[in-house]
Amino acid sequence: MNQAEIEDLLLGIPVSKVYCYQTVSSTNDLAIEWAGKGALDFTIVIADHQTRGRGRYGRSWFTPPGAALAFSLILRPREKYENIKPASCTALGAVAVSDVLGRYGLTPQIKWPNDVLLNRKKVCGILTEAQWVGDYLQALILGIGINIAPSSVPPKESLNYPATSVELELEKKVNRYQLLKDIISQVRTWREQINTPKFFAHWEQLLAFKMENVLVTNGEQTIEGTLVGLTPNGHLRLRLALGLEREIVAGEIKLRPAK
Ligand code: ATP
Ligand code: BTN
């Protein structure tokens, strides 16, 4: 689809502008650039192919041509004190993607903090980046990558967590631009309710590995416990041996089922 066709498709939903590219390094890079030049709230940067798609902590995100949905949404705090932080922005994206995939009859789950799973395999990764001027948050860049066609799934050897694609799980083709439209509308809907008890309850309901034994690793230390749910501010609650509870803050951690 070209820019005009995508703009046409998105006509029904309030989007400020769409920047559509064939090949980019990373849509987040471009979105940061456009945000720096004053792009408005709900500007979308989308690409068919990313040569340097990235995940958290500089890890790479595989986006071959024509096979995935890779886009970044610029969100501007609408008022100085709108309470939208990078972590809640990531949750906003994960919840919106999960809701939309759920409408296709799939059962998505959120691998806290930033991945969406189908059948316990990663189908979507989210990277939120913030642009600050001093201590004033200028913009949040919500980068979403979804594996659509089977060819968007990276080779097994390059992964340390299994991956899948929407079409592999659904066993039929999907229109990635329709998916884009539905996700953007769902982000709009939940943004109005971000950080409300309703939002946290819905997010918690979507968590993968709930009441299962999991391992949480930060590179140096691994903790094992039962994943109980979320704290009221979106941290992960782990119940350790002896019934003690530990609150896990999103950082460079890896979450895995224990078995
Ligand atoms: P993990 O995915 O191992 O739990 P993580 O969630 O912290 O760790 P991220 O930074 O979120 O890792 O994601 C980047 C990782 O995702 C890469 O290191 C790579 O293993 C994997 N990956 C890269 N491209 C894709 C893709 N298209 N689909 C699924 N996984 C991918
Ligand atoms: C992850 O799992 O670590 C997050 C991966 C995020 C990938 C998306 S694709 C669109 C946007 N551009 C990027 O370079 N990254 C995000």
Side-chain angles (χ1 to χ4, degrees):
M1 262 195 186
N2 60 33
Q3 172 128 7
E5 288 168 325
I6 295 184
E7 277 170 356
D8 252 18
L9 177 78
L10 295 177
L11 264 186
I13 53 171
V15 159
S16 300
K17 184 150 180 59
V18 184
Y19 293 100
C20 181
Y21 299 91
Q22 198 53 245
T23 300
V24 293
S25 53
S26 149
T27 55
N28 269 30
D29 289 345
L30 274 279
I32 289 168
E33 224 174 287
W34 284 117
K37 292 179 183 156
L40 301 175
D41 191 38
F42 267 82
T43 295
I44 299 170
V45 177
I46 181 167
D48 191 58
H49 172 212
Q50 295 186 116
T51 53
R52 299 189 56 177
R54 48 197 164 76
R56 300 188 309 154
Y57 301 98
R59 291 193 273 264
S60 66
W61 185 261
F62 182 66
T63 322
L69 180 59
F71 68 97
S72 303
L73 180 63
I74 298 173
L75 297 176
R76 297 249 180 216
R78 286 168 299 188
E79 49 192 82
K80 206 163 178 175
Y81 300 105
E82 186 187 14
N83 193 11
I84 176 161
K85 306 233 163 60
S88 41
C89 186
T90 296
L92 181 63
V95 164
V97 168
S98 303
D99 286 349
V100 171
L101 292 179
R103 291 185 207 144
Y104 284 71
L106 296 164
T107 309
Q109 291 189 303
I110 298 174
K111 179 159 112 23
W112 186 93
N114 69 319
D115 297 328
V116 178
L117 309 181
L118 288 175
N119 285 325
R120 295 169 82 94
K121 287 174 273 181
K122 186 154 149 181
V123 71
C124 163
I126 295 170
L127 175 69
T128 301
E129 293 179 300
Q131 203 174 50
W132 299 87
V133 172
D135 44 9
Y136 179 48
L137 180 64
Q138 293 283 303
L140 284 167
I141 311 299
L142 172 57
I144 299 186
I146 306 180
N147 299 335
I148 305 288
S151 59
S152 60
V153 179
K156 260 204 190 89
E157 320 76 74
S158 67
L159 295 174
N160 47 25
Y161 192 84
T164 189
S165 80
V166 177
E167 290 181 355
L168 278 172
E169 298 303 320
L170 263 183
E171 297 183 346
K172 63 175 190 201
K173 289 223 162 267
V174 299
N175 178 338
R176 55 190 167 143
Y177 300 108
Q178 185 59 47
L179 208 59
L180 168 75
K181 178 177 186 178
D182 294 344
I183 292 167
I184 302 285
S185 316
Q186 197 63 2
V187 167
R188 272 208 167 271
T189 303
W190 277 119
R191 183 194 188 168
E192 303 309 318
Q193 303 175 66
I194 193 117
N195 297 334
T196 61
K198 185 175 168 195
F199 176 76
F200 283 116
H202 188 59
W203 178 12
E204 186 171 55
Q205 212 181 4
L206 288 165
L207 281 186
F209 319 131
K210 230 180 334 172
M211 298 319 285
E212 287 184 33
N213 245 24
V214 294
L215 301 174
V216 175
T217 309
N218 70 0
E220 287 157 17
Q221 209 194 2
T222 298
I223 313 169
E224 179 164 358
T226 306
L227 194 161
V228 183
L230 293 174
T231 65
N233 51 4
H235 299 162
L236 203 63
R237 288 174 57 206
L238 270 202
R239 188 179 306 132
L240 309 180
L242 305 174
L244 291 175
E245 248 189 44
R246 175 92 173 250
E247 187 173 325
I248 310 289
V249 180
E252 194 168 1
I253 62 116
K254 284 199 183 302
L255 173 64
R256 295 283 183 276
K259 53 178 165 33

